[in-house]
Structure formats: C-alpha cells, structure tokens
Amino acid sequence: RRILRAMSAAAQHGGVFHLWLHPHDYGVNEEENFSFLHAVLEHYDHLRDAHDMRTLTMASVADMVRRPVAVDVPREAVPVHA
C-alpha cells in the first residue's frame, strides 16, 4: 500500500516515483511477488489515465533535471537599483 500511495502522490503533484525492482527478486514467492507487480501496473494504468503519469527511463529523468528551466518573473517583482 505504501508504494501505491507514493505513486498516487507523485502523479497528483507532478512528482517523480522511482520503482526499483530486480528480476531475481521474483524467484522466491513468485505468486505473491507477481501479484504485487500486477497490482502496481494496474495502479499505474489508472494514474496514467487520470493524471497523465508517464513512464521514463533514468536517462530521460536525468536529461529533464539537467535541462535549464525558464521562469517568468513579473517585472514588478524584480527590484531595480539605480
């Protein structure tokens, strides 16, 4: 439930959620682990449809973080010293 809540919070607030999985972790308790993964993927489908959540590679996220962001600041908010 913690993972699903964190996914929801990221989707609702425009954040990033990193799901870290290792395939070898699924060799033990396979049925339980794949059931959990299925629930996560179904929840992602819902968040994608409801909040436009996207799946990105780590490289894509890194590119987004490194990209400069333009910020509009109202002229009256910038003090001018003569």
Side-chain angles (χ1 to χ4, degrees):
R1 291 185 185 201
R2 179 179 52 89
I3 288 175
L4 301 183
R5 282 194 309 266
M7 287 173 65
S8 294
Q12 292 166 359
H13 301 288
V16 174
F17 178 81
H18 180 181
L19 181 61
W20 185 303
L21 298 172
H22 294 282
H24 63 268
D25 292 338
Y26 284 78
V28 177
N29 301 320
E30 286 182 26
E31 189 172 325
E32 180 181 341
N33 287 327
F34 280 107
S35 177
F36 162 74
L37 181 59
H38 188 261
V40 168
L41 296 175
E42 281 187 334
H43 192 58
Y44 169 77
D45 282 346
H46 164 73
L47 295 173
R48 181 193 59 223
D49 295 342
H51 301 286
D52 198 30
M53 189 174 204
R54 297 182 295 154
T55 301
L56 302 170
T57 64
M58 291 302 293
S60 296
V61 172
D63 288 343
M64 289 172 60
V65 170
R66 289 191 291 247
R67 188 177 312 136
V69 177
V71 177
D72 289 330
V73 178
R75 184 176 175 86
E76 59 274 8
V78 179
V80 178
H81 300 285

